[in-house]
């Protein structure tokens, strides 16, 4: 596995646009299907907009990492925001049942719908949210 892209962003609304544009530019050049690019942008926008609504301000940062897995590209967002109600129980991995979007749960149903094999773990006080898209 090699790192294709690694960058920290301040957790502000402008970062949402920058991260979405970054995904578009990098994934288009790999290449990844237009559908997977759209889904990646939608899921990342949902995740980030919920982080922004529940963050402690601009002192927080997120890190976007794109990794080459050969036949797939892993997209990872690392953040220090621990607000998700499902995580307050001390769980380090969560699954959701079918149903509507959960406010405060980062659009879990949307995420699961598009990337059922997503991963969400907590390591050393940071959240690692990742999903993979196939190369064409």
């Amino acid at each position: 596995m090699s790192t294709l892209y690694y960058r920290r962003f301040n957790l502000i609304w402008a970062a949402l646009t920058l991260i979405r544009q970054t995904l578009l530019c990098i994934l288009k050049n790999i290449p990844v299907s237009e559908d997977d690019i759209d889904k990646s942008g939608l899921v990342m926008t949902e995740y980030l907009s919920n982080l922004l609504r529940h963050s402690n301000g601009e002192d927080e940062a997120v890190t976007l990492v794109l990794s080459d897995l050969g036949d797939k590209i892993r997209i990872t967002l690392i953040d220090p925001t621990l607000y998700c109600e499902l995580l307050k129980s001390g769980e380090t991995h969560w699954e959701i049942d079918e149903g509507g979007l959960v406010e405060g749960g980062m659009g879990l149903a949307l995420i699961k719908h598009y990337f059922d094999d997503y991963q969400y773990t907590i390591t050393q006080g940071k959240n690692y949210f990742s999903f993979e898209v196939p190369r064409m």
Side-chain angles (χ1 to χ4, degrees):
M1 175 173 70
S2 63
T3 300
L4 298 172
Y5 184 85
Y6 181 97
R7 181 173 172 200
R8 287 175 47 113
F9 295 86
N10 286 339
L11 190 54
I12 58 175
W13 285 104
L16 196 144
T17 301
L18 290 171
I19 289 171
R20 195 159 179 162
Q21 288 174 340
T22 298
L23 286 174
L24 173 67
C25 291
I26 293 174
L27 294 177
K28 201 167 214 170
N29 287 317
I30 289 180
V32 170
S33 76
E34 290 287 331
D35 191 42
D36 284 332
I37 293 171
D38 289 344
K39 289 189 272 185
S40 298
L42 180 62
V43 163
M44 195 58 72
T45 297
E46 178 64 29
Y47 186 93
L48 284 166
S49 62
N50 277 284
L51 284 181
L52 281 158
R53 282 195 293 272
H54 298 282
S55 71
N56 292 325
E58 296 181 13
D59 290 339
E60 295 185 13
V62 296
T63 304
L64 177 66
V65 182
L66 278 76
S67 304
D68 186 348
L69 303 178
D71 61 339
K72 294 181 181 181
I73 303 301
R74 178 176 294 145
I75 300 168
T76 303
L77 192 77
I78 305 166
D79 74 85
T81 307
L82 294 172
Y83 78 88
C84 183
E85 292 294 323
L86 297 173
L87 297 174
K88 288 186 179 176
S89 65
E91 292 292 321
T92 57
H93 179 80
W94 37 263
E95 297 287 339
I96 60 167
D97 297 322
E98 292 182 32
L101 297 179
V102 180
E103 177 59 26
M106 296 177 282
L108 299 178
L110 179 75
I111 292 167
K112 187 171 175 100
H113 173 74
Y114 286 121
F115 297 103
D116 190 37
D117 59 349
Y118 71 90
Q119 295 180 0
Y120 189 93
T121 58
I122 300 171
T123 304
Q124 297 177 346
K126 292 188 181 179
N127 305 314
Y128 289 77
F129 167 64
S130 64
F131 55 93
E132 297 170 0
V133 294
R135 288 178 180 268
M136 290 196 316

